[in-house]
Amino acid sequence: MVRMPSLNRIEDLDRQRAEILVNTLDGVLTIASHPFASPLDNEQLLKFALRLGLPEEDIEAARLAIAATGFTCRHHFYQLGTETDLPDALERTAKIGAILLRAAMAKHGWDDIDVFYDTSAFLPPEINRMVLMRAGLDPDRILTRSYRYACAGAVGALVDILSADNLRDARVAIGALEPLSLLIDQSQFVTPGNLAIPSIFTDDNAVILIEPKRILLHHKKIRVQPDGGVIKLRTLYDHTLSSQEQLPIPTHYDFRNGGETIFSYGALGAFLDIQPPDHSSLSMDGIGTGLFFGDQTSELILEILSELGDPDYLRRLNGRNLIMHPASEPVVNRIAKKLNRAGVLDSRSLPFIMGEIGRSNSSSATTLISWQNQIRMGLVQPNAPFFLVAPGVGSAIVAAAGEFC
């Protein structure tokens, strides 16, 4: 892991606590989120890239590359400057998780929880117990697991929880904690192609509380298959975790192209083996990413619709209760075009609210933040059907149809 520096040498987490967004959906779920970092809009990002070595002649190409992502703002706490070591970064992340967890619990009216799953693209699983202890909760009394499916982590954890009969009456929290600026380095700012990485990926954090008995899944699937390294990521966990107690893999998982070889499922959690890059902490083949996840995600959506026997399901949602991981605007649009060609969607585009709300792709936190803001915008209805979908590098792709009740 590359040690990255802190943009803010002194930080007041208590001050930022007042800025946390907390929203609830009819007592079914509550989401709290905050990036805990300063915003960086497109022009600010471009100016920063110029200071780091982007050639003047590449300004317009870089501006177009940034705009093409569909994101208008991202949040990078760790940037080039004074170094911060990993233990400090983990401690800060644990404190943020604890603050968000307590904020969500206060809004939902809970004084304790029974289950806490944490999700992240790269953090070690010990962050789970750290969050609970910082929140004043007993990790030895709470069922804890970690999910490392990158962008699909929170949705994958949610589907597994909702599929477990013994958790129907539990008080469940999922914490998605993503200090992704720890993975950003100077080389990613100095060419228009690489600039897509700091344009898309952002620090952000979200906690969702759910009451499983209020949410039913009718059809669901988690597909695990190697993505060929279209995004490579240096993780802080051992995906095999050979010492953990193995658990039966739920029947809603399926594996393609040797997916079993990159997957571990046990008492500590569920983990993917994500390929590391050669010379940095994060690399991306933009075209390859768009093609793989656009095509594979739309294929899985079509499979779920086929199992439902209802090709008009998405049409009837009419833009409501469609909870999708907004990886980037081009990826979302490719999914929409594939669904349109298949005859299950009238439009060749799907709503992409991330530019409007000023948030970006924070791996596993992104779907929760998009979901929260859809609630704020009146795009999520209680007591109604929904469709949930999220792809994660490695890869795991999650899709589910169900209803709030």
Side-chain angles (χ1 to χ4, degrees):
M1 177 60 59
V2 176
R3 293 175 71 209
M4 295 298 293
S6 170
L7 179 64
N8 303 317
R9 302 182 71 177
I10 300 175
E11 180 185 29
D12 183 358
L13 292 179
D14 286 335
R15 176 184 59 79
Q16 292 172 310
R17 188 194 305 261
E19 303 168 353
I20 292 172
L21 294 179
V22 188
N23 296 92
T24 189
L25 178 68
D26 193 37
V28 176
L29 59 88
T30 294
I31 302 174
S33 75
H34 195 285
F36 287 91
S38 300
L40 197 65
D41 67 23
N42 288 6
E43 285 302 309
Q44 289 171 325
L45 180 65
L46 183 59
K47 291 176 182 177
F48 190 53
L50 287 169
R51 292 202 302 271
L52 294 177
L54 178 74
E56 292 277 350
E57 59 267 26
D58 288 339
I59 289 177
E60 194 53 37
R63 180 178 282 114
L64 292 173
I66 296 169
T69 67
F71 300 117
T72 60
C73 186
R74 69 286 305 152
H75 298 76
H76 294 170
F77 179 77
Y78 299 100
Q79 291 191 17
L80 302 175
T82 305
E83 284 195 348
T84 295
D85 63 15
L86 182 60
D88 286 347
L90 293 179
E91 177 62 27
R92 177 180 182 269
T93 300
K95 288 179 179 177
I96 288 170
I99 289 170
L100 290 174
L101 177 56
R102 279 297 183 182
M105 290 172 63
K107 180 72 172 181
H108 206 78
W110 286 353
D111 59 5
D112 206 347
I113 58 173
D114 305 305
V115 177
F116 181 64
Y117 284 18
D118 80 283
T119 71
S120 174
F122 69 102
L123 292 181
E126 53 261 35
I127 197 72
N128 187 300
R129 293 176 64 88
M130 291 174 66
V131 170
L132 292 174
M133 289 187 288
R134 302 309 180 272
L137 300 171
D138 182 359
D140 294 322
R141 193 188 39 75
I142 295 169
L143 174 63
T144 61
R145 295 185 80 215
S146 297
Y147 272 60
R148 299 295 182 265
Y149 298 171
C151 298
V155 178
L158 177 63
V159 167
D160 282 359
I161 289 166
L162 294 176
S163 302
D165 291 339
N166 63 320
L167 298 180
R168 294 304 293 170
D169 294 319
R171 296 166 295 181
V172 174
I174 300 171
L177 307 171
E178 299 285 13
L180 294 185
S181 61
L182 280 167
L183 306 175
I184 305 298
D185 63 50
Q186 184 170 348
S187 68
Q188 295 157 350
F189 289 89
V190 296
T191 67
N194 282 341
L195 195 52
I197 291 174
S199 300
I200 291 173
F201 297 109
T202 185
D203 291 6
D204 224 324
N205 313 275
V207 169
I208 182 171
L209 306 185
I210 60 168
E211 299 192 22
K213 61 188 176 185
R214 301 284 307 276
I215 308 174
L216 296 178
L217 296 181
H218 301 309
H219 291 275
K220 72 264 185 169
K221 190 169 291 186
I222 299 178
R223 172 159 296 152
V224 180
Q225 61 179 328
D227 61 13
V230 291
I231 296 179
K232 295 182 178 182
L233 173 67
R234 198 171 302 280
T235 64
L236 294 174
Y237 62 86
D238 172 7
H239 96 279
T240 63
L241 287 170
S242 57
S243 61
Q244 74 165 317
E245 175 191 347
Q246 294 296 302
L247 296 178
I249 298 173
T251 57
H252 53 268
Y253 280 76
D254 77 1
F255 299 89
R256 287 188 174 182
N257 304 325
E260 302 92 335
T261 66
I262 66 168
F263 183 69
S264 173
Y265 193 89
L268 290 179
F271 302 86
L272 289 180
D273 183 16
I274 300 176
Q275 295 183 38
D278 293 331
H279 305 297
S280 64
S281 293
L282 176 63
S283 68
M284 179 175 66
D285 171 359
I287 293 176
T289 299
L291 292 175
F292 180 86
F293 287 106
D295 294 354
Q296 298 301 319
T297 303
S298 57
E299 179 180 324
L300 188 57
I301 292 171
L302 291 171
E303 286 185 25
I304 297 293
L305 295 178
S306 177
E307 290 176 7
L308 285 168
D310 187 356
D312 292 326
Y313 189 91
L314 296 181
R315 289 191 182 92
R316 284 200 302 279
L317 292 184
N318 194 27
R320 296 178 183 272
N321 289 13
L322 176 59
I323 302 133
M324 175 182 286
H325 170 66
S328 69
E329 193 164 27
V331 171
V332 171
N333 285 342
R334 183 169 181 83
I335 293 170
K337 288 175 184 177
K338 301 286 282 190
L339 296 178
N340 175 260
R341 289 173 190 164
V344 300
L345 192 70
D346 292 330
S347 174
R348 291 171 60 85
S349 64
L350 286 164
F352 186 81
I353 66 171
M354 303 305 285
E356 181 179 348
I357 66 175
R359 309 286 271 271
S360 189
N361 186 336
S362 52
S363 189
S364 66
T366 319
T367 310
L368 301 184
I369 290 163
S370 177
W371 195 351
Q372 176 184 34
N373 281 276
Q374 287 176 268
I375 292 172
R376 291 165 59 83
M377 300 163 95
L379 297 177
V380 180
Q381 296 176 319
N383 303 310
F386 65 81
F387 199 94
L388 187 65
V389 60
V393 299
S395 69
I397 304 175
V398 185
E403 62 181 308
F404 303 119
C405 54

